[in-house]
Amino acid sequence: MDGISLLTITVLAVFVGFEVVSKVSSTLHTPLMSGANAIHGIILVGAIIVAGQAGDPWVLAIALLAVVLATANLVGGFVVTDRMLEMFRGRQRPPSKPGTAAGAIEEHRR
Amino acid sequence: MTLINPTWTAILYLAAAACFILALKGLNSPRTARRGNLIGAVGALLAVVTVFVSVKLDNVPWILGAVAVGAGVAAPVARRVQMTQMPQLVALFNGVGGGAAALVALLELSHTEDAWVRLAIVFTLLVGAVSFAGSGVTFAKLQGLMTTRPVTFPGLPVLMALVLLAAVGAGVAVILTGSLVLAMILLVLGLLAGVLLVLPVGGADVPIVISLLNAFTGLAVAASGLVLGNVLLLVAGTLVGASGTILTRAMAAAMGRSVAGIMFGAFKGGSTAGSTAVSERPVRSSSAEDVAVLLGYAQRVIIVPGYGLAVAQGQHTAAELALALESRGIEVDFAIHPVAGRMPGHMNVLLAEANVPYESLKEMSEVNSEFKTADVALVVGANDVVNPAAKTTSGSPIYGMPILEVADARQVVFLKRSMRPGFAGIENELLYEPQTTLLFGDAKDSLTKVLGAVKAL
């Protein structure tokens, strides 16, 4: 892809990034940081590409190390964020109405 | 083998990028946050599957093995970690992500002659290494492996400047020559810069640094997207870089601090009235039974939880105390300062873990006007966030930080370990006011005693 297209994509992504977190309450700062942390674990895609093109054993070893680290970032990040958010389900929240989709999901979870 | 053509690859990556945007959007609201996180995970899975079917890959068994190792280590740790230790785990995950980006960039160096691509490689190497080493130091500070006080020494700014200068020199040299040896030197300089960057940051500011390093890793990943010509990495990294920057500023604003002020000499040389000396002035200290009477015959109690509660893991006892008081017909709320605990929002997570209903957790802006109607403000292990010096003493290091107005309550009860000042190292005049009562001891022990005394009323 040519430079100008990449620049366009980057600038638009910057604005989207600014926009999506502009009004978040401080309650969710920690989960949001953790969720964003998980997303940059997508460097795993880059690590896999590099490992898949490695011929030299040393290059492969370093690339595989990158794969391990990136996977830890990605998987661990999403799991720990989910655990934080799981705890926001207060037990005194009014139960969802039976018969609705949300109710069915609630039922399923129990 | 490649099962799909470049057009389909691009479409699938686009879908993954959309998932990430929806994930961040979902994390803005408590109701959609969990689903948002799930959407993000689905996007990541989609992207990883896409790379396997769209690029001709060798060593696939090795790669799958490495993925299994990474996931096999991280998932159980993330599932089992104590909630109070969660900030350092986030720091650790952030660090390894930055490290992975740096390694990817290092390996790509031999594949290119293009100066622009080499520039992106240099950026990824440096920023990834800073993030890796910085997160490591942050982890050590939060885990208690080293002191949480700022570590400074004469010449630190000079050393930092020299390291950065050397890094710029090495970076230019890498762009010109493409030398792998120089790239490794750059990597080491980046690691050194990361350590030097975080060492002088005090314990209270560490959360902001985690957020900043998170944004750094995002930028490193974005640059690695340029290196590999991968649009998904570019978009996802840029999203995290941008949102992380906003988040960092929001956190710093909640503490009345500037990010630059934190990174370059936090609390250094500020006028600190009685910074380390413990004052000899008299305070009114009291027994758990007296505190129980104060609480038990009040009509409205506002609990202000702080760092001390998180460290003592007293959140469950605090929740039980709130329940016990409510069963006596007392209205109980929790007032949450934006930076209570170890990270902004951390206290909400801890209290939610202890099954405190979401509606009882009140944010500062919402609760500050309500202290006037409260009979007792119970401050558990918090100090700086209720220190009136933030409003009255213009020379104070925390001047300008918004505080919880506990002084408006009819009675103020502090559960404190000792008279030692908080992170900011300044005295709290509120402790000497006539309406203030102190109960000394570990937050959890004190809460347990008070809870027992309330039940016995």
Side-chain angles (χ1 to χ4, degrees), chain B residues 252-277:
Chain B
M255 297 177 85
R257 317 284 307 278
S258 74
V259 176
I262 291 163
M263 300 318 296
F264 306 109
F267 292 159
K268 208 162 46 185
S271 83
T272 52
S275 58
T276 46

Side-chain angles (χ1 to χ4, degrees), chain B residues 12-13 25 30 68 127 222 229 253 260 324 336 357 359 395 433 441:
Chain B
L12 289 174
Y13 279 157
K25 191 79 200 152
V127 177
I336 315 286
E359 301 80 53
E433 293 292 325

Side-chain angles (χ1 to χ4, degrees), chain B residues 345-368:
Chain B
H346 190 203
M347 194 53 71
N348 302 69
V349 176
L350 290 177
L351 291 173
E353 183 199 13
N355 281 326
V356 174
Y358 187 71
E359 301 80 53
S360 304
L361 307 180
K362 301 219 164 160
E363 287 189 32
M364 182 165 63
S365 53
E366 187 186 351
V367 81
N368 256 349

